[in-house]
Amino acid sequence: MSPRGGRRCPPALLALLLGLAGSRGSPECQNPAVSRPVTAGASLCLVPEKPPWEWTEMHWKWYINSGEQQWILTARRDRSVSYPRSPFHGRVKFHPGNLSLCISPVLRDDNGVYWAEFENSRVIPSRCIRVSVWDPVPRPELKSQILQRDRGRCHLSLLCSSPGNVSYSWACAGDGPEPVPEPVPGQIPGQIPGQIPDNSSRLLRSLPEGADPQICLCNVSNPAGWSAARAALTCPVIPGNFSLWRPVVVAVAEGLILLFVGFSCWWRENSREG
């Protein structure tokens, strides 16, 4: 920072001073930190609150979770900007229009609290922004299994799994107002393995044999992103399945028994008369 009423520090010396190991301690924030989740590899822009009327310099700072503070850049009213050596070197850009700090690409180690300090006659801290960096959410894997066939119905299990710390939600056509996006997928590939992953979600459904496919959607998400996979649940008819013909066979058997009993009674009556 430049001394008051004297010569300004040379830019090289200023950058050297700001690039030294940051001071210890919590950041000074006007309000509780605002949360900003972001996906690793994406771009992030942070905008400070409205600056004071007459500011001379501003500093973007980063408070690492380990307790260390780090200067990211120093901007002056004449629009000159100094970028000290820091973990953000080559990845940050300052926009003088809204005094924002943009980072691209965001790395997994960029977690922490960011804030801007403005200087006029005193140092005025801005609102803190707590940035949490999350891994991209991969497309989940869906596998199905027919658990049981009973009286012309299939009891199915649908397993959705995705690596990482994610949350799961399900939606099936006909369950409620939430629509299932098109296009309609084909049959579900694969079978559920014997060992179910710890981080997974299971859905149980029951369908009649030969019914139209039921479309189900598995959505996985974390605070920074989401991904989804669709599946078509079916209960195919098994050729030669005796369970489908059982009612017909029973009806025919009952009819034959009644016919035999009737014929026997008629033959006995005629035999007595003879």
Side-chain angles (χ1 to χ4, degrees):
M1 296 181 293
S2 61
R4 300 287 180 259
R7 293 184 303 170
R8 300 177 64 87
C9 293
L13 177 59
L14 180 63
L16 177 62
L17 292 175
L18 297 182
L20 295 176
S23 60
R24 299 281 175 172
S26 302
E28 297 178 359
C29 306
Q30 288 183 339
N31 300 305
V34 177
S35 179
R36 282 290 303 275
V38 63
T39 301
S43 299
L44 173 68
C45 286
L46 306 175
V47 182
E49 291 180 318
K50 186 177 180 181
W53 175 250
E54 293 183 355
W55 62 275
T56 56
E57 288 183 354
M58 72 166 296
H59 313 284
W60 271 104
K61 294 183 179 182
W62 175 46
Y63 176 75
I64 311 172
N65 293 332
S66 61
E68 179 184 345
Q69 293 185 17
Q70 178 76 53
W71 260 274
I72 302 175
L73 63 85
T74 295
R76 303 170 187 84
R77 198 62 181 260
D78 60 3
R79 296 204 170 193
S80 61
V81 184
S82 299
Y83 296 95
R85 198 75 184 178
S86 73
F88 301 92
H89 188 73
R91 298 189 293 122
V92 295
K93 186 176 182 180
F94 178 74
H95 295 273
N98 58 359
L99 309 180
S100 64
L101 168 72
C102 290
I103 306 171
S104 181
V106 175
L107 303 182
R108 196 67 177 86
D109 294 333
D110 291 343
N111 288 293
V113 177
Y114 296 75
W115 78 102
E117 282 184 355
F118 295 93
E119 293 187 30
N120 44 28
S121 58
R122 59 191 180 93
V123 176
I124 303 175
S126 179
R127 178 177 57 186
C128 288
I129 305 172
R130 181 176 296 278
V131 174
S132 58
V133 184
W134 296 79
D135 293 326
V137 180
R139 181 181 176 88
E141 182 181 6
L142 283 176
K143 292 184 178 181
S144 70
Q145 184 180 30
I146 297 178
L147 302 176
Q148 183 183 10
R149 288 180 177 267
D150 182 27
R151 298 179 183 180
R153 298 188 68 88
C154 290
H155 302 290
L156 303 102
S157 174
L158 185 60
L159 183 70
C160 184
S161 59
S162 179
N165 185 13
V166 296
S167 300
Y168 292 89
S169 62
W170 292 92
C172 292
D175 280 354
E178 184 177 357
V180 177
E182 297 289 344
V184 175
Q187 304 297 325
I188 308 171
Q191 294 290 319
I192 294 178
Q195 185 176 3
I196 299 175
D198 293 335
N199 187 22
S200 61
S201 179
R202 183 192 289 267
L203 179 70
L204 300 177
R205 308 295 292 178
S206 179
L207 294 177
E209 291 183 342
D212 292 336
Q214 185 180 56
I215 311 304
C216 289
L217 174 72
C218 175
N219 181 76
V220 292
S221 61
N222 62 26
W226 64 276
S227 182
R230 306 173 187 87
L233 287 175
T234 60
C235 181
V237 177
I238 299 178
N241 188 358
F242 179 74
S243 62
L244 297 178
W245 297 95
R246 182 177 299 171
V248 178
V249 173
V250 171
V252 172
E254 290 177 350
L256 291 175
I257 292 174
L258 293 175
L259 182 62
F260 177 76
V261 172
F263 176 78
S264 298
C265 293
W266 174 82
W267 183 79
R268 288 178 181 178
E269 291 295 333
N270 289 330
S271 296
R272 290 175 183 176
E273 294 177 358

